[in-house]
Amino acid sequence: QVQLVESGGGSVQAGGSLRLSCAAFGYTTSGNYMGWFRQAPGKEREGVAAIYDGGRSTYYADSVKDRFTISQDNSANTVYLHMVSLKPEDTAMYYCAAVRPRAWVTSPLRWREYNYWGQGTQVTVSS
């Protein structure tokens, strides 16, 4: 059974930073697509960043480029999202997601491409 467990969320002031972690159990992060998504109240879930095969390819939403970095530690089966220069509009529940093993993904930032989801971790940025 696949389980994704996020951690690292919290409350920070604008301009601050956080690092989110996603530990995968029953799933091998190596060679697969994994992503971070977020959803604010009343808004649709949106793709933030995705990574393929240990960082061979990475993808970012325009709104977070140059501020967020996705990385992966295959030895620890963990994916990270390092966020700097946080803005109030980054406030949301952040979810880690993974695709079925070896599945090809056409749009890595589209949440419907993903099969497994964590429970989410809240990020709140105050002005």
Side-chain angles (χ1 to χ4, degrees), residues 12 26 28 45 52 83:
V12 297
T28 301
R45 187 169 298 190
Y52 172 65
M83 309 181 292

Side-chain angles (χ1 to χ4, degrees), residues 67-122:
R67 299 190 300 121
F68 290 11
T69 303
I70 189 169
S71 62
Q72 188 169 324
D73 181 348
N74 289 331
S75 65
N77 240 19
T78 300
V79 175
Y80 304 96
L81 185 68
H82 188 208
M83 309 181 292
V84 301
S85 301
L86 283 162
K87 305 175 181 180
E89 49 264 44
D90 294 318
T91 295
M93 186 71 79
Y94 282 70
Y95 298 92
C96 173
V99 302
R100 280 181 287 106
R102 303 301 176 186
W104 183 252
V105 172
T106 55
S107 300
L109 295 180
R110 192 167 73 123
W111 68 268
R112 294 184 187 276
E113 300 264 14
Y114 291 77
N115 307 101
Y116 308 108
W117 292 85
Q119 80 288 351
T121 186
Q122 178 69 36

Side-chain angles (χ1 to χ4, degrees), residues 36-38 45-49 60-64 108-111:
W36 284 97
F37 297 79
R38 66 187 181 187
R45 187 169 298 190
E46 64 170 339
V48 175
Y60 295 95
D62 288 342
S63 58
V64 306
L109 295 180
R110 192 167 73 123
W111 68 268

Side-chain angles (χ1 to χ4, degrees), residues 29-34 51-57 72 74 102:
T29 59
S30 175
N32 294 306
Y33 283 90
M34 295 197 70
I51 189 167
Y52 172 65
D53 199 14
R56 185 197 300 184
S57 300
Q72 188 169 324
N74 289 331
R102 303 301 176 186

